Amino acid sequence: MEVLPRVQPKAELHLHLDCCVSYACVAALRPGTTLTEYLRDYVAPAKCASLVDFLTRPSRIVQLMQTPRALRLVTDDLFTQLVADNVAYAEIRFAPLLHTAGGMRPEHVVEVVESAVAEAVAATGVQASVILCTLRHFDADASMATARLAAARLEDGLVTGFDLAGDEAGFGLDPHIAAVRHAREHGVRITAHAGEARGADGVDDVLDHLRPERIGHGVRCIEDERTLERFIAGGVHLEVCPTSNVQTMGDLMPSYADHPVDRLRRAGVALSISTDARTVANVTLDQEYERLRHVFGWTSADLARSNMAAVEASFAAPAVRRELMRTFAAAHPGPGSG
Ligand SMILES: [Zn+2]
């Protein structure tokens, strides 16, 4: 049996700020919340009715994230989780336009989160970037406003990327095409959710119209040989979040063993592993790795390759990428040779 370092260093590219809020943090933001209420209202069951059902939990968390203090508490809480999980690099995403109900301007929301992330990076040594999300149900103006925010923060801030998230099955791409183009033209890196609530046709749509460098989830590309081939040939990286997928995909993915992550890896798709939603999905990245070892027989070398693929596909600055590659190479001598 392989002897494993207990908590290997990891990189995580797909992580929603409003899906990673511990009970202690919720109790600080909403005093009097009991653990039973937290588990019922803020954590999704192992099987949700749908992605929309799953998304009711982050919606409740977002309601608590409407002040600078709340945004700082949630960011600090996430970094506490990342340190415990030995995450060396994380890309943290959120939709700034969801945090204005308390009177904050979107620019201020981004500044507060960026400064909280910068302080947490300095305090913990965990490296991080920030990705701003537009959401499927936003109109073209809201989507463009988010893209402009990302472009404006590119020079001085930690923002590196722009993402399209939300209800994939319920809303189309049209309102977001110009926003994604604007972000890309200003040097913002592009990722987009697809192939989660819709099948391979939804992945094709996003590839055709948004031309992202990475796809969040995307795992249902496996349903169509031609779509799968686009990933193998095109080098678009998949941010794969198996536990979250099993939660939201119902009968399409009855159990972890039915997840296509291992088939995608064997087919030669560039991919890495993320939690998506540490508290809503109730999973750490270490637990995700344990499931991959247990269910699919992934080795430390397989996981090291996944981490290095994450670094290669990351939106981090070149110097940070080089440092991370050294970290992962030191932790797993030799995985690059396989
Ligand atoms: Zn996501």
Side-chain angles (χ1 to χ4, degrees), residues 84-163:
D85 210 10
N86 201 15
V87 172
Y89 176 73
E91 293 191 355
I92 299 163
R93 62 185 77 193
F94 70 103
L97 270 58
L98 292 184
H99 302 277
T100 56
M104 278 190 291
R105 288 176 296 106
E107 295 81 359
H108 189 204
V109 171
V110 177
E111 284 165 21
V112 168
V113 173
E114 277 191 309
S115 78
V117 170
E119 284 168 26
V121 165
T124 63
V126 177
Q127 298 292 328
S129 301
V130 173
I131 295 172
L132 301 188
C133 301
T134 185
L135 297 174
R136 286 264 182 172
H137 67 273
F138 282 4
D139 64 18
D141 288 346
S143 212
M144 184 59 83
T146 309
R148 289 188 198 283
L149 277 174
R153 297 303 301 163
L154 203 55
E155 283 293 310
D156 304 321
L158 287 164
V159 174
T160 55
F162 185 61
D163 172 41

Coordinates of all heavy atoms in Angstrom, one line a residue, residues 84-163:
A84 N -6.1 24.7 6.8 CA -6.4 23.4 7.4 C -6.3 22.3 6.3 O -5.9 21.1 6.6 CB -7.7 23.4 8.1
D85 N -6.6 22.6 5.1 CA -6.6 21.7 4.0 C -5.3 21.6 3.2 O -5.1 20.9 2.2 CB -7.7 22.1 3.1 CG -8.4 20.9 2.3 OD1 -8.1 19.7 2.7 OD2 -9.2 21.1 1.4
N86 N -4.3 22.4 3.7 CA -3.0 22.6 3.0 C -3.1 22.9 1.6 O -2.5 22.3 0.7 CB -2.1 21.3 3.2 CG -0.7 21.6 3.0 OD1 -0.3 22.8 3.0 ND2 0.1 20.6 2.8
V87 N -4.0 23.9 1.3 CA -4.1 24.5 -0.1 C -3.0 25.5 -0.2 O -2.9 26.5 0.5 CB -5.5 25.1 -0.3 CG1 -5.5 25.8 -1.6 CG2 -6.5 23.9 -0.3
A88 N -2.2 25.3 -1.3 CA -1.1 26.3 -1.5 C -1.5 27.4 -2.4 O -0.9 28.5 -2.4 CB 0.1 25.6 -2.2
Y89 N -2.5 27.2 -3.2 CA -3.0 28.2 -4.2 C -4.5 28.0 -4.4 O -5.0 26.9 -4.6 CB -2.3 28.1 -5.5 CG -2.8 29.1 -6.5 CD1 -2.5 30.4 -6.4 CD2 -3.6 28.6 -7.6 CE1 -3.0 31.3 -7.4 CE2 -4.1 29.5 -8.5 CZ -3.8 30.9 -8.4 OH -4.2 31.8 -9.4
A90 N -5.2 29.1 -4.3 CA -6.7 29.1 -4.6 C -7.1 30.2 -5.4 O -6.6 31.3 -5.3 CB -7.5 29.1 -3.2
E91 N -8.0 30.0 -6.3 CA -8.7 31.0 -7.1 C -10.1 31.1 -6.5 O -10.9 30.2 -6.6 CB -8.7 30.7 -8.6 CG -7.2 30.8 -9.1 CD -7.1 30.7 -10.6 OE1 -8.1 30.6 -11.3 OE2 -5.9 30.9 -11.1
I92 N -10.4 32.3 -6.0 CA -11.6 32.5 -5.2 C -12.6 33.4 -6.1 O -12.2 34.5 -6.5 CB -11.3 33.2 -3.9 CG1 -10.3 32.4 -3.1 CG2 -12.6 33.6 -3.1 CD1 -9.6 33.1 -2.0
R93 N -13.8 32.9 -6.3 CA -14.7 33.6 -7.2 C -16.0 34.1 -6.4 O -16.4 33.4 -5.5 CB -15.0 32.8 -8.4 CG -15.7 31.5 -8.1 CD -15.9 30.7 -9.4 NE -14.7 30.0 -9.9 CZ -14.5 29.5 -11.1 NH1 -15.5 29.5 -12.0 NH2 -13.4 28.9 -11.4
F94 N -16.5 35.2 -6.9 CA -17.8 35.7 -6.3 C -18.4 36.7 -7.3 O -17.6 37.2 -8.2 CB -17.6 36.3 -4.9 CG -16.8 37.6 -4.9 CD1 -17.5 38.8 -4.8 CD2 -15.5 37.6 -5.1 CE1 -16.8 40.0 -4.8 CE2 -14.8 38.8 -5.2 CZ -15.4 40.0 -5.0
A95 N -19.7 37.0 -7.1 CA -20.4 37.9 -8.0 C -20.5 39.2 -7.2 O -21.4 39.3 -6.4 CB -21.7 37.4 -8.4
P96 N -19.7 40.3 -7.5 CA -19.8 41.5 -6.7 C -21.2 42.1 -6.7 O -21.6 42.7 -5.7 CB -18.8 42.4 -7.4 CG -18.2 41.7 -8.5 CD -18.7 40.3 -8.5
L97 N -22.0 42.0 -7.8 CA -23.3 42.6 -7.9 C -24.3 42.0 -6.9 O -25.4 42.6 -6.7 CB -23.8 42.6 -9.3 CG -23.4 43.8 -10.2 CD1 -21.9 44.0 -10.3 CD2 -24.0 43.8 -11.5
L98 N -24.0 40.9 -6.3 CA -24.9 40.3 -5.3 C -24.7 40.9 -3.9 O -25.5 40.5 -3.0 CB -24.6 38.8 -5.3 CG -25.0 37.9 -6.5 CD1 -24.8 36.4 -6.1 CD2 -26.4 38.1 -6.9
H99 N -23.7 41.8 -3.8 CA -23.4 42.2 -2.4 C -23.7 43.7 -2.2 O -23.0 44.3 -1.4 CB -22.0 41.8 -2.1 CG -21.7 40.3 -2.2 ND1 -22.0 39.4 -1.2 CD2 -21.3 39.6 -3.3 CE1 -21.7 38.2 -1.6 NE2 -21.3 38.3 -2.9
T100 N -24.7 44.2 -2.9 CA -24.9 45.6 -2.8 C -26.2 46.0 -2.0 O -26.6 47.1 -1.9 CB -25.1 46.2 -4.2 OG1 -26.1 45.5 -4.9 CG2 -23.7 46.1 -5.0
A101 N -26.9 44.9 -1.5 CA -28.2 45.2 -0.8 C -28.0 46.0 0.5 O -29.0 46.7 0.9 CB -28.8 43.8 -0.5
G102 N -26.8 46.0 1.0 CA -26.6 46.8 2.2 C -26.1 48.2 1.9 O -25.7 49.0 2.8
G103 N -26.0 48.6 0.6 CA -25.6 49.9 0.2 C -24.2 50.0 -0.3 O -23.8 51.1 -0.7
M104 N -23.5 49.0 -0.3 CA -22.1 49.0 -0.9 C -22.2 49.1 -2.4 O -23.0 48.5 -3.0 CB -21.3 47.8 -0.5 CG -20.7 47.8 0.8 SD -19.5 46.4 1.1 CE -20.6 45.0 1.1
R105 N -21.3 49.9 -3.0 CA -21.2 50.0 -4.4 C -20.4 48.7 -4.9 O -19.5 48.2 -4.1 CB -20.5 51.2 -4.9 CG -21.3 52.5 -4.8 CD -20.5 53.7 -5.2 NE -19.4 53.9 -4.3 CZ -18.1 53.7 -4.6 NH1 -17.7 53.2 -5.8 NH2 -17.1 53.9 -3.7
P106 N -20.6 48.2 -6.1 CA -19.9 47.0 -6.5 C -18.4 47.2 -6.5 O -17.6 46.3 -6.1 CB -20.4 46.9 -8.0 CG -21.7 47.5 -8.0 CD -21.7 48.7 -7.1
E107 N -17.9 48.4 -6.8 CA -16.4 48.7 -6.8 C -15.9 48.5 -5.3 O -14.8 47.9 -5.1 CB -16.1 50.1 -7.2 CG -16.4 50.5 -8.6 CD -17.9 50.8 -8.8 OE1 -18.7 50.8 -7.9 OE2 -18.3 51.1 -10.0
H108 N -16.7 49.0 -4.4 CA -16.3 48.8 -3.0 C -16.3 47.4 -2.5 O -15.4 46.9 -1.8 CB -17.3 49.7 -2.1 CG -16.8 49.8 -0.7 ND1 -17.7 50.0 0.4 CD2 -15.6 49.7 -0.1 CE1 -17.0 50.1 1.5 NE2 -15.8 49.9 1.3
V109 N -17.3 46.6 -3.0 CA -17.4 45.2 -2.7 C -16.1 44.5 -3.1 O -15.4 43.8 -2.4 CB -18.6 44.5 -3.4 CG1 -18.5 43.0 -3.3 CG2 -19.9 45.1 -2.9
V110 N -15.7 44.8 -4.4 CA -14.4 44.2 -4.9 C -13.2 44.6 -4.1 O -12.4 43.8 -3.7 CB -14.3 44.5 -6.4 CG1 -13.0 43.9 -6.9 CG2 -15.4 43.9 -7.2
E111 N -13.1 45.9 -3.8 CA -12.0 46.4 -3.0 C -11.9 45.7 -1.6 O -10.8 45.3 -1.2 CB -12.1 47.9 -2.8 CG -11.8 48.7 -4.0 CD -12.2 50.2 -3.9 OE1 -12.5 50.7 -2.7 OE2 -12.4 50.8 -4.9
V112 N -13.1 45.6 -1.0 CA -13.1 45.0 0.4 C -12.6 43.5 0.3 O -11.8 43.1 1.1 CB -14.5 45.0 1.0 CG1 -14.6 44.2 2.2 CG2 -14.8 46.5 1.3
V113 N -13.1 42.8 -0.7 CA -12.7 41.3 -0.8 C -11.2 41.2 -1.2 O -10.5 40.4 -0.6 CB -13.6 40.6 -1.8 CG1 -13.1 39.2 -2.0 CG2 -15.1 40.5 -1.3
E114 N -10.8 42.1 -2.1 CA -9.4 42.1 -2.5 C -8.5 42.4 -1.3 O -7.5 41.7 -1.1 CB -9.1 43.1 -3.6 CG -9.5 42.6 -5.0 CD -8.9 43.5 -6.1 OE1 -9.2 44.7 -6.0 OE2 -8.3 43.0 -7.0
S115 N -8.8 43.4 -0.5 CA -7.9 43.7 0.6 C -8.0 42.6 1.6 O -6.9 42.3 2.2 CB -8.3 45.1 1.2 OG -9.4 45.0 2.0
A116 N -9.1 42.0 1.8 CA -9.2 40.9 2.8 C -8.4 39.7 2.3 O -7.7 39.0 3.1 CB -10.7 40.5 3.0
V117 N -8.5 39.4 1.0 CA -7.7 38.3 0.4 C -6.2 38.6 0.6 O -5.4 37.8 1.0 CB -8.1 38.0 -1.0 CG1 -7.1 37.1 -1.7 CG2 -9.5 37.5 -1.1
A118 N -5.8 39.9 0.2 CA -4.4 40.2 0.3 C -3.9 40.1 1.7 O -2.7 39.6 1.9 CB -4.2 41.7 -0.2
E119 N -4.6 40.5 2.7 CA -4.2 40.4 4.1 C -4.1 38.9 4.5 O -3.2 38.5 5.2 CB -5.2 41.1 5.1 CG -5.0 42.6 5.0 CD -6.2 43.3 5.7 OE1 -6.8 42.7 6.6 OE2 -6.4 44.5 5.4
A120 N -5.1 38.1 4.0 CA -5.0 36.7 4.4 C -3.9 35.9 3.7 O -3.2 35.1 4.3 CB -6.4 36.0 4.0
V121 N -3.6 36.3 2.5 CA -2.4 35.8 1.8 C -1.1 36.1 2.6 O -0.3 35.2 2.8 CB -2.3 36.3 0.3 CG1 -0.9 36.1 -0.3 CG2 -3.4 35.7 -0.6
A122 N -1.0 37.3 3.0 CA 0.2 37.7 3.8 C 0.3 37.0 5.1 O 1.3 36.6 5.5 CB 0.2 39.2 4.0
A123 N -0.9 36.8 5.7 CA -0.9 36.1 7.0 C -0.7 34.6 7.0 O -0.1 34.0 7.9 CB -2.2 36.5 7.7
T124 N -1.1 34.0 5.9 CA -1.2 32.5 5.8 C -0.1 31.9 4.9 O 0.2 30.7 5.0 CB -2.5 32.0 5.4 OG1 -2.8 32.5 4.0 CG2 -3.7 32.5 6.3
G125 N 0.3 32.7 3.9 CA 1.2 32.1 2.9 C 0.5 31.4 1.8 O 1.1 30.9 0.8
V126 N -0.8 31.2 1.9 CA -1.6 30.6 0.8 C -1.7 31.7 -0.3 O -2.1 32.8 -0.1 CB -3.1 30.3 1.3 CG1 -3.9 29.8 0.2 CG2 -3.0 29.3 2.5
Q127 N -1.3 31.3 -1.5 CA -1.4 32.2 -2.6 C -2.8 32.2 -3.2 O -3.5 31.2 -3.1 CB -0.4 31.8 -3.7 CG 1.1 31.8 -3.3 CD 1.5 33.3 -3.1 OE1 1.1 34.2 -3.7 NE2 2.5 33.4 -2.1
A128 N -3.2 33.3 -3.7 CA -4.6 33.4 -4.2 C -4.8 34.4 -5.4 O -4.0 35.4 -5.5 CB -5.6 33.7 -3.1
S129 N -5.8 34.1 -6.2 CA -6.3 35.1 -7.2 C -7.8 35.2 -7.0 O -8.4 34.4 -6.3 CB -6.0 34.7 -8.6 OG -4.7 34.4 -8.9
V130 N -8.3 36.3 -7.5 CA -9.8 36.5 -7.4 C -10.4 36.5 -8.8 O -9.8 37.1 -9.8 CB -10.1 37.8 -6.7 CG1 -11.5 38.2 -6.8 CG2 -9.5 37.8 -5.3
I131 N -11.5 35.8 -9.0 CA -12.3 35.8 -10.2 C -13.6 36.4 -10.0 O -14.3 36.1 -9.0 CB -12.5 34.3 -10.7 CG1 -11.1 33.7 -11.0 CG2 -13.4 34.2 -11.9 CD1 -11.2 32.2 -11.3
L132 N -14.0 37.3 -10.8 CA -15.3 38.0 -10.7 C -16.3 37.2 -11.5 O -16.1 36.9 -12.7 CB -15.3 39.4 -11.0 CG -14.3 40.3 -10.2 CD1 -14.6 41.8 -10.6 CD2 -14.5 40.1 -8.7
C133 N -17.5 36.9 -10.9 CA -18.5 36.2 -11.7 C -19.7 37.1 -12.1 O -20.2 37.9 -11.4 CB -19.2 35.1 -10.8 SG -18.1 33.9 -10.1
T134 N -20.1 36.9 -13.4 CA -21.4 37.3 -13.8 C -22.3 36.1 -13.6 O -21.8 34.9 -13.5 CB -21.4 37.9 -15.2 OG1 -22.7 38.4 -15.4 CG2 -21.1 36.8 -16.2
L135 N -23.6 36.3 -13.6 CA -24.5 35.1 -13.4 C -25.5 35.0 -14.6 O -25.8 36.0 -15.2 CB -25.3 35.3 -12.1 CG -24.4 35.3 -10.8 CD1 -25.2 35.6 -9.6 CD2 -23.7 34.0 -10.7
R136 N -25.9 33.8 -14.8 CA -26.7 33.5 -16.0 C -28.0 34.4 -16.1 O -28.4 34.8 -17.1 CB -27.2 32.0 -16.0 CG -26.0 31.1 -16.3 CD -26.1 30.7 -17.8 NE -25.1 29.8 -18.2 CZ -25.0 29.2 -19.4 NH1 -25.9 29.4 -20.3 NH2 -24.0 28.3 -19.6
H137 N -28.6 34.7 -14.9 CA -29.8 35.4 -14.9 C -29.6 37.0 -15.0 O -30.6 37.7 -15.1 CB -30.7 35.1 -13.7 CG -30.1 35.5 -12.4 ND1 -29.2 34.8 -11.7 CD2 -30.3 36.7 -11.7 CE1 -28.9 35.4 -10.5 NE2 -29.5 36.6 -10.5
F138 N -28.4 37.4 -14.9 CA -28.1 38.8 -15.1 C -28.4 39.3 -16.5 O -28.2 38.5 -17.5 CB -26.6 39.1 -14.9 CG -26.2 39.2 -13.4 CD1 -27.1 38.9 -12.4 CD2 -24.9 39.5 -13.1 CE1 -26.7 38.9 -11.0 CE2 -24.5 39.6 -11.8 CZ -25.4 39.3 -10.7
D139 N -28.8 40.6 -16.7 CA -29.0 41.1 -18.0 C -27.6 41.6 -18.6 O -26.6 41.5 -17.9 CB -30.1 42.2 -18.0 CG -29.7 43.4 -17.2 OD1 -28.5 43.6 -16.9 OD2 -30.6 44.2 -16.9
A140 N -27.7 42.0 -19.8 CA -26.4 42.4 -20.5 C -25.7 43.5 -19.7 O -24.5 43.6 -19.7 CB -26.7 42.8 -21.9
D141 N -26.5 44.5 -19.2 CA -25.8 45.6 -18.5 C -25.1 45.2 -17.2 O -24.0 45.6 -17.0 CB -26.9 46.7 -18.1 CG -27.4 47.4 -19.4 OD1 -26.7 47.3 -20.4 OD2 -28.4 48.1 -19.3
A142 N -25.8 44.3 -16.5 CA -25.1 43.8 -15.2 C -23.9 43.0 -15.6 O -22.9 43.0 -14.9 CB -26.2 43.0 -14.4
S143 N -24.0 42.2 -16.6 CA -22.9 41.3 -17.0 C -21.7 42.2 -17.4 O -20.6 42.0 -17.0 CB -23.3 40.4 -18.1 OG -22.6 39.2 -18.1
M144 N -22.0 43.3 -18.2 CA -20.9 44.1 -18.7 C -20.4 44.9 -17.5 O -19.1 45.2 -17.5 CB -21.5 45.1 -19.8 CG -20.5 46.0 -20.4 SD -19.1 45.1 -21.2 CE -19.8 44.8 -22.8
A145 N -21.2 45.3 -16.6 CA -20.7 46.1 -15.4 C -19.7 45.2 -14.6 O -18.6 45.7 -14.2 CB -21.8 46.5 -14.5
T146 N -20.0 43.9 -14.5 CA -19.0 43.0 -13.8 C -17.7 42.8 -14.6 O -16.6 42.8 -14.0 CB -19.7 41.6 -13.6 OG1 -21.0 41.8 -13.0 CG2 -18.9 40.7 -12.7
A147 N -17.9 42.7 -15.9 CA -16.7 42.6 -16.8 C -15.8 43.9 -16.7 O -14.6 43.8 -16.6 CB -17.1 42.4 -18.2
R148 N -16.4 45.0 -16.6 CA -15.7 46.3 -16.5 C -15.0 46.3 -15.1 O -13.8 46.8 -15.0 CB -16.6 47.5 -16.6 CG -17.1 47.7 -18.0 CD -17.9 49.1 -18.1 NE -18.7 49.1 -19.3 CZ -18.3 49.4 -20.5 NH1 -17.0 49.6 -20.7 NH2 -19.1 49.4 -21.5
L149 N -15.6 45.8 -14.1 CA -15.0 45.8 -12.8 C -13.7 44.9 -12.8 O -12.7 45.3 -12.3 CB -15.9 45.2 -11.7 CG -17.0 46.0 -11.1 CD1 -17.9 45.2 -10.2 CD2 -16.3 47.1 -10.2
A150 N -13.8 43.8 -13.5 CA -12.7 42.9 -13.6 C -11.5 43.6 -14.3 O -10.4 43.5 -13.9 CB -13.1 41.6 -14.2
A151 N -11.9 44.2 -15.4 CA -10.9 44.9 -16.3 C -10.2 46.0 -15.5 O -9.0 46.2 -15.5 CB -11.5 45.4 -17.5
A152 N -11.0 46.7 -14.7 CA -10.5 47.9 -13.9 C -9.5 47.5 -12.8 O -8.6 48.2 -12.5 CB -11.6 48.7 -13.3
R153 N -9.7 46.3 -12.3 CA -8.9 45.8 -11.2 C -7.7 45.0 -11.6 O -6.9 44.5 -10.8 CB -9.7 45.0 -10.2 CG -10.9 45.7 -9.5 CD -10.4 47.0 -8.8 NE -9.5 46.6 -7.7 CZ -8.7 47.5 -7.2 NH1 -8.7 48.8 -7.5 NH2 -7.8 47.1 -6.2
L154 N -7.5 44.8 -12.9 CA -6.5 43.9 -13.4 C -5.1 44.4 -13.1 O -4.2 43.6 -12.7 CB -6.7 43.7 -14.9 CG -6.1 42.5 -15.5 CD1 -6.6 41.2 -14.9 CD2 -6.4 42.4 -17.0
E155 N -4.9 45.7 -13.1 CA -3.5 46.2 -13.0 C -3.1 46.1 -11.5 O -2.0 45.6 -11.2 CB -3.5 47.7 -13.4 CG -3.4 47.8 -14.9 CD -2.1 47.3 -15.5 OE1 -1.1 47.7 -15.0 OE2 -2.2 46.5 -16.5
D156 N -3.9 46.6 -10.6 CA -3.5 46.8 -9.2 C -4.0 45.8 -8.3 O -3.5 45.7 -7.1 CB -4.0 48.2 -8.7 CG -3.6 49.3 -9.7 OD1 -2.4 49.3 -10.1 OD2 -4.4 50.2 -9.9
G157 N -4.9 45.0 -8.7 CA -5.6 44.1 -7.7 C -5.2 42.7 -7.8 O -4.3 42.3 -8.5
L158 N -5.9 41.8 -7.1 CA -5.7 40.4 -7.2 C -6.7 39.8 -8.2 O -6.6 38.6 -8.5 CB -6.0 39.8 -5.8 CG -5.0 40.0 -4.8 CD1 -5.5 39.7 -3.4 CD2 -3.7 39.1 -5.0
V159 N -7.5 40.6 -8.8 CA -8.5 40.0 -9.8 C -7.7 39.7 -11.1 O -6.9 40.4 -11.6 CB -9.6 41.1 -10.1 CG1 -10.4 40.5 -11.3 CG2 -10.4 41.4 -8.9
T160 N -7.9 38.4 -11.5 CA -7.3 38.0 -12.7 C -8.3 37.4 -13.7 O -7.9 37.3 -14.9 CB -6.3 36.8 -12.4 OG1 -7.0 35.8 -11.7 CG2 -5.1 37.3 -11.6
G161 N -9.5 37.0 -13.2 CA -10.4 36.3 -14.1 C -11.8 36.8 -14.1 O -12.2 37.5 -13.2
F162 N -12.6 36.3 -15.1 CA -14.0 36.5 -15.2 C -14.7 35.2 -15.5 O -14.2 34.4 -16.3 CB -14.2 37.5 -16.4 CG -15.6 38.0 -16.6 CD1 -16.3 38.7 -15.6 CD2 -16.3 37.8 -17.8 CE1 -17.6 39.2 -15.8 CE2 -17.6 38.2 -18.0 CZ -18.2 39.0 -17.0
D163 N -15.8 35.0 -14.9 CA -16.5 33.7 -14.9 C -18.0 33.9 -15.2 O -18.5 34.9 -14.7 CB -16.3 33.0 -13.6 CG -17.1 31.7 -13.5 OD1 -17.2 30.9 -14.5 OD2 -17.7 31.4 -12.4

